[in-house]
Amino acid sequence: MCKLGVNIDHVATLRQARGTVYPSPVEAAALCEQGGADGLTIHLREDRRHIQDADLFALKESVHIPLNLEMANASEIVEIALKARPDEVCLVPERRREITTEGGLDAAGQRTALQPTIARLMQEGIRVSLFIEPSDTQLEAAVQLGVPIVELHTGKYSDLIGAAREEELARIASAAAFGRRAGLQINAGHGLNYENLPAFLNAVPWLDTLNIGHSIVARAVLVGMVQAVREMKELLAP
Protein backbone atom coordinates (compact mmCIF):
# COMPACT_ATOMS: atom_id res chain seq x y z
CA MET A 1 0.00 0.00 0.00
CA CYS A 2 1.32 3.41 -1.00
CA LYS A 3 1.97 5.67 1.99
CA LEU A 4 0.43 9.12 2.46
CA GLY A 5 2.42 12.16 3.46
CA VAL A 6 0.15 15.11 4.26
CA ASN A 7 1.43 18.59 3.46
CA ILE A 8 0.01 21.04 6.01
CA ASP A 9 1.44 24.25 4.53
CA HIS A 10 -2.00 25.66 3.83
CA VAL A 11 -3.07 25.37 7.43
CA ALA A 12 -0.37 27.97 8.02
CA THR A 13 -1.61 29.91 4.95
CA LEU A 14 -4.95 30.41 6.69
CA ARG A 15 -3.20 31.56 9.85
CA GLN A 16 -0.91 33.99 8.07
CA ALA A 17 -3.80 35.48 6.08
CA ARG A 18 -5.08 37.17 9.24
CA GLY A 19 -1.90 37.26 11.33
CA THR A 20 -3.47 35.15 14.06
CA VAL A 21 -2.07 32.25 16.07
CA TYR A 22 -4.67 29.85 14.64
CA PRO A 23 -5.14 27.45 12.98
CA SER A 24 -2.15 25.70 14.47
CA PRO A 25 -0.01 23.46 12.23
CA VAL A 26 0.87 21.44 15.33
CA GLU A 27 -2.80 20.76 16.06
CA ALA A 28 -3.38 19.97 12.38
CA ALA A 29 -0.47 17.53 12.45
CA ALA A 30 -1.97 15.68 15.42
CA LEU A 31 -5.27 15.35 13.54
CA CYS A 32 -3.44 14.08 10.45
CA GLU A 33 -1.84 11.40 12.59
CA GLN A 34 -5.26 10.51 13.99
CA GLY A 35 -6.60 10.20 10.45
CA GLY A 36 -3.86 7.74 9.52
CA ALA A 37 -1.23 9.88 7.79
CA ASP A 38 2.07 8.06 7.37
CA GLY A 39 4.11 11.26 7.36
CA LEU A 40 3.92 15.05 7.39
CA THR A 41 5.37 17.53 4.93
CA ILE A 42 6.01 21.25 5.28
CA HIS A 43 7.78 23.73 3.00
CA LEU A 44 9.84 26.38 4.77
CA ARG A 45 10.03 28.99 2.02
CA GLU A 46 12.56 31.77 1.98
CA ASP A 47 9.75 34.35 2.04
CA ARG A 48 8.01 32.57 4.97
CA ARG A 49 4.64 32.94 3.26
CA HIS A 50 3.08 30.15 5.33
CA ILE A 51 5.24 27.85 7.47
CA GLN A 52 7.48 29.71 9.92
CA ASP A 53 10.74 28.63 11.54
CA ALA A 54 8.98 28.07 14.87
CA ASP A 55 6.49 25.72 13.18
CA LEU A 56 9.31 23.49 11.99
CA PHE A 57 10.87 23.18 15.44
CA ALA A 58 7.50 22.69 17.15
CA LEU A 59 6.49 19.98 14.71
CA LYS A 60 9.81 18.21 15.08
CA GLU A 61 9.16 18.01 18.84
CA SER A 62 5.50 17.03 18.64
CA VAL A 63 4.87 14.65 15.73
CA HIS A 64 5.16 10.90 16.04
CA ILE A 65 5.41 10.15 12.32
CA PRO A 66 8.22 11.13 9.91
CA LEU A 67 8.57 14.84 9.18
CA ASN A 68 9.59 15.81 5.64
CA LEU A 69 10.92 19.34 5.10
CA GLU A 70 10.69 20.77 1.60
CA MET A 71 13.23 23.52 1.03
CA ALA A 72 15.28 25.35 -1.54
CA ASN A 73 19.03 24.92 -1.69
CA ALA A 74 19.51 28.22 0.13
CA SER A 75 22.22 28.62 2.76
CA GLU A 76 19.91 30.13 5.41
CA ILE A 77 17.36 27.34 5.08
CA VAL A 78 20.05 24.66 5.01
CA GLU A 79 21.37 25.87 8.35
CA ILE A 80 17.88 25.82 9.84
CA ALA A 81 17.33 22.29 8.59
CA LEU A 82 20.59 21.15 10.16
CA LYS A 83 19.46 22.56 13.51
CA ALA A 84 15.92 21.16 13.33
CA ARG A 85 16.97 17.76 11.97
CA PRO A 86 13.76 16.65 10.24
CA ASP A 87 13.58 13.00 9.25
CA GLU A 88 13.78 13.90 5.57
CA VAL A 89 14.59 16.92 3.43
CA CYS A 90 13.22 17.28 -0.08
CA LEU A 91 15.14 19.81 -2.15
CA VAL A 92 12.81 21.77 -4.41
CA PRO A 93 13.04 24.73 -6.80
CA GLU A 94 11.66 27.99 -5.48
CA ARG A 95 10.74 31.31 -7.04
CA ARG A 96 9.41 34.26 -5.04
CA ARG A 97 6.60 35.16 -7.44
CA GLU A 98 5.19 31.67 -7.95
CA ILE A 99 1.88 30.77 -6.31
CA THR A 100 3.08 27.20 -5.80
CA THR A 101 6.06 25.16 -6.96
CA GLU A 102 5.88 25.24 -10.75
CA GLY A 103 8.12 22.36 -11.75
CA GLY A 104 10.87 20.00 -10.79
CA LEU A 105 14.35 20.81 -9.62
CA ASP A 106 16.98 20.79 -12.38
CA ALA A 107 19.21 18.28 -10.64
CA ALA A 108 21.13 17.60 -13.84
CA GLY A 109 22.00 21.27 -14.30
CA GLN A 110 22.67 22.03 -10.64
CA ARG A 111 24.77 19.07 -9.53
CA THR A 112 27.73 21.20 -8.47
CA ALA A 113 25.54 23.41 -6.26
CA LEU A 114 23.49 20.53 -4.85
CA GLN A 115 26.28 18.12 -3.95
CA PRO A 116 27.65 19.94 -0.85
CA THR A 117 24.17 20.46 0.59
CA ILE A 118 23.20 16.84 0.06
CA ALA A 119 26.44 15.68 1.66
CA ARG A 120 25.98 17.90 4.74
CA LEU A 121 22.40 16.78 5.30
CA MET A 122 23.18 13.10 4.85
CA GLN A 123 26.17 13.33 7.17
CA GLU A 124 23.74 14.44 9.87
CA GLY A 125 21.54 11.41 9.30
CA ILE A 126 18.85 13.28 7.36
CA ARG A 127 17.44 11.42 4.38
CA VAL A 128 17.48 13.55 1.23
CA SER A 129 15.13 13.48 -1.73
CA LEU A 130 14.97 15.57 -4.89
CA PHE A 131 11.71 16.91 -6.32
CA ILE A 132 12.27 16.38 -10.04
CA GLU A 133 10.55 16.11 -13.38
CA PRO A 134 9.81 12.53 -14.46
CA SER A 135 12.68 12.25 -16.94
CA ASP A 136 15.57 9.83 -17.29
CA THR A 137 18.03 12.74 -17.34
CA GLN A 138 16.90 14.00 -13.94
CA LEU A 139 16.74 10.50 -12.48
CA GLU A 140 20.27 9.77 -13.65
CA ALA A 141 21.42 13.00 -11.99
CA ALA A 142 19.75 11.91 -8.75
CA VAL A 143 21.64 8.62 -8.86
CA GLN A 144 24.91 10.44 -9.49
CA LEU A 145 24.22 12.78 -6.56
CA GLY A 146 23.76 9.79 -4.29
CA VAL A 147 20.29 10.54 -2.95
CA PRO A 148 18.14 7.55 -1.98
CA ILE A 149 14.78 9.13 -2.86
CA VAL A 150 13.16 11.13 -5.64
CA GLU A 151 9.76 12.75 -5.68
CA LEU A 152 8.31 12.91 -9.18
CA HIS A 153 6.50 16.13 -10.05
CA THR A 154 2.86 15.37 -10.89
CA GLY A 155 1.70 18.94 -11.49
CA LYS A 156 1.49 18.56 -15.26
CA TYR A 157 -0.59 15.41 -14.93
CA SER A 158 -2.93 17.19 -12.54
CA ASP A 159 -3.42 20.14 -14.91
CA LEU A 160 -3.88 18.25 -18.19
CA ILE A 161 -6.93 16.54 -19.64
CA GLY A 162 -7.63 13.94 -22.31
CA ALA A 163 -4.87 12.47 -24.44
CA ALA A 164 -2.29 14.89 -23.06
CA ARG A 165 -2.95 13.62 -19.55
CA GLU A 166 -2.57 10.03 -20.68
CA GLU A 167 0.77 10.87 -22.29
CA GLU A 168 1.97 12.49 -19.08
CA LEU A 169 0.82 9.47 -17.07
CA ALA A 170 2.86 7.23 -19.34
CA ARG A 171 5.88 9.50 -18.89
CA ILE A 172 5.57 9.35 -15.10
CA ALA A 173 5.08 5.57 -15.13
CA SER A 174 8.19 5.14 -17.29
CA ALA A 175 10.21 7.38 -14.96
CA ALA A 176 9.01 5.48 -11.90
CA ALA A 177 10.10 2.18 -13.45
CA PHE A 178 13.46 3.67 -14.48
CA GLY A 179 14.04 5.03 -10.96
CA ARG A 180 13.10 1.74 -9.38
CA ARG A 181 15.61 -0.12 -11.55
CA ALA A 182 18.23 2.42 -10.46
CA GLY A 183 17.54 1.59 -6.81
CA LEU A 184 15.71 4.79 -5.90
CA GLN A 185 12.68 5.13 -3.63
CA ILE A 186 9.93 6.64 -5.76
CA ASN A 187 7.66 9.25 -4.24
CA ALA A 188 5.35 11.59 -6.12
CA GLY A 189 3.29 14.69 -5.54
CA HIS A 190 1.88 18.05 -6.56
CA GLY A 191 -1.70 18.73 -7.53
CA LEU A 192 -2.98 15.24 -6.72
CA ASN A 193 -6.53 15.21 -5.38
CA TYR A 194 -9.48 12.96 -4.63
CA GLU A 195 -10.62 12.95 -8.26
CA ASN A 196 -7.39 12.42 -10.18
CA LEU A 197 -5.65 10.05 -7.77
CA PRO A 198 -7.32 6.73 -8.76
CA ALA A 199 -6.23 6.96 -12.41
CA PHE A 200 -2.75 7.93 -11.29
CA LEU A 201 -2.44 4.93 -8.97
CA ASN A 202 -3.67 2.57 -11.68
CA ALA A 203 -1.04 3.78 -14.14
CA VAL A 204 2.11 4.40 -12.08
CA PRO A 205 4.06 1.52 -10.50
CA TRP A 206 6.58 1.35 -7.67
CA LEU A 207 5.24 4.26 -5.63
CA ASP A 208 6.34 4.44 -2.02
CA THR A 209 4.82 7.71 -0.78
CA LEU A 210 2.49 10.36 -2.19
CA ASN A 211 2.78 13.83 -0.68
CA ILE A 212 -0.57 15.60 -0.93
CA GLY A 213 -1.54 18.88 0.69
CA HIS A 214 -3.86 21.46 -0.83
CA SER A 215 -6.70 19.08 -1.69
CA ILE A 216 -6.66 17.54 1.80
CA VAL A 217 -6.63 20.89 3.60
CA ALA A 218 -9.41 22.15 1.30
CA ARG A 219 -11.49 19.04 2.03
CA ALA A 220 -10.79 19.45 5.75
CA VAL A 221 -12.51 22.85 5.70
CA LEU A 222 -15.73 20.97 4.92
CA VAL A 223 -15.42 17.66 6.76
CA GLY A 224 -12.57 18.09 9.24
CA MET A 225 -8.93 17.08 9.00
CA VAL A 226 -9.30 13.57 10.40
CA GLN A 227 -12.03 12.68 7.91
CA ALA A 228 -10.21 14.32 4.99
CA VAL A 229 -7.08 12.28 5.67
CA ARG A 230 -9.10 9.08 6.12
CA GLU A 231 -10.83 9.61 2.79
CA MET A 232 -7.50 10.03 1.02
CA LYS A 233 -6.09 6.95 2.76
CA GLU A 234 -9.06 4.96 1.55
CA LEU A 235 -8.16 5.86 -2.03
CA LEU A 236 -4.66 4.51 -1.46
CA ALA A 237 -5.91 1.14 -0.20
CA PRO A 238 -5.25 -1.73 -2.65
Side-chain angles (χ1 to χ4, degrees):
M1 180 175 173
C2 185
K3 295 191 286 291
L4 174 64
V6 180
N7 186 315
I8 57 173
D9 287 348
H10 293 301
V11 173
T13 297
L14 285 173
R15 179 192 63 194
Q16 299 303 112
R18 294 291 294 269
T20 60
V21 296
Y22 63 85
S24 163
V26 170
E27 291 181 16
L31 293 171
C32 289
E33 289 190 56
Q34 187 178 335
D38 301 291
L40 291 165
T41 292
I42 56 172
H43 184 171
L44 183 63
R45 282 182 170 266
E46 291 182 84
D47 64 9
R48 308 304 200 273
R49 66 176 63 173
H50 37 55
I51 294 294
Q52 306 298 301
D53 300 31
D55 296 324
L56 168 59
F57 288 95
L59 286 164
K60 175 59 180 174
E61 291 299 317
S62 64
V63 300
H64 303 98
I65 52 179
L67 178 63
N68 172 39
L69 174 64
E70 295 180 342
M71 53 176 261
N73 184 25
S75 58
E76 177 198 10
I77 307 298
V78 172
E79 295 304 322
I80 293 170
L82 289 167
K83 290 178 182 177
R85 300 177 63 85
D87 300 283
E88 184 176 322
V89 159
C90 183
L91 293 170
V92 304
E94 188 174 308
R95 294 195 310 114
R96 290 294 178 91
R97 295 181 180 273
E98 67 186 359
I99 295 175
T100 185
T101 307
E102 296 175 342
L105 183 71
D106 182 12
Q110 298 177 26
R111 279 188 294 176
T112 301
L114 290 168
Q115 185 64 72
T117 297
I118 292 169
R120 288 188 70 194
L121 292 167
M122 292 181 69
Q123 285 168 4
E124 294 299 318
I126 301 170
R127 301 184 78 205
V128 179
S129 65
L130 302 179
F131 182 72
I132 59 173
E133 291 296 320
S135 78
D136 292 357
T137 299
Q138 297 301 332
L139 285 159
E140 288 169 355
V143 172
Q144 292 167 3
L145 284 164
V147 298
I149 311 165
V150 293
E151 181 171 340
L152 300 179
H153 176 235
T154 57
K156 291 179 181 177
Y157 162 73
S158 301
D159 292 337
L160 293 170
I161 60 173
R165 171 176 278 193
E166 294 304 313
E167 290 177 7
E168 183 64 12
L169 261 182
R171 187 168 81 106
I172 297 170
S174 176
F178 182 97
R180 175 72 175 188
R181 290 194 298 272
L184 296 168
Q185 176 181 312
I186 308 300
N187 298 346
H190 202 78
L192 296 174
N193 58 45
Y194 297 89
E195 286 71 40
N196 63 30
L197 184 59
F200 182 82
L201 291 172
N202 286 336
V204 182
W206 309 117
L207 295 169
D208 184 273
T209 302
L210 295 181
N211 290 308
I212 304 175
H214 184 267
S215 62
I216 293 176
V217 175
R219 179 66 175 157
V221 172
L222 303 178
V223 303
M225 184 63 82
V226 173
Q227 181 63 22
V229 173
R230 284 176 177 166
E231 290 176 8
M232 191 64 78
K233 284 283 289 186
E234 288 172 2
L235 292 176
L236 295 178

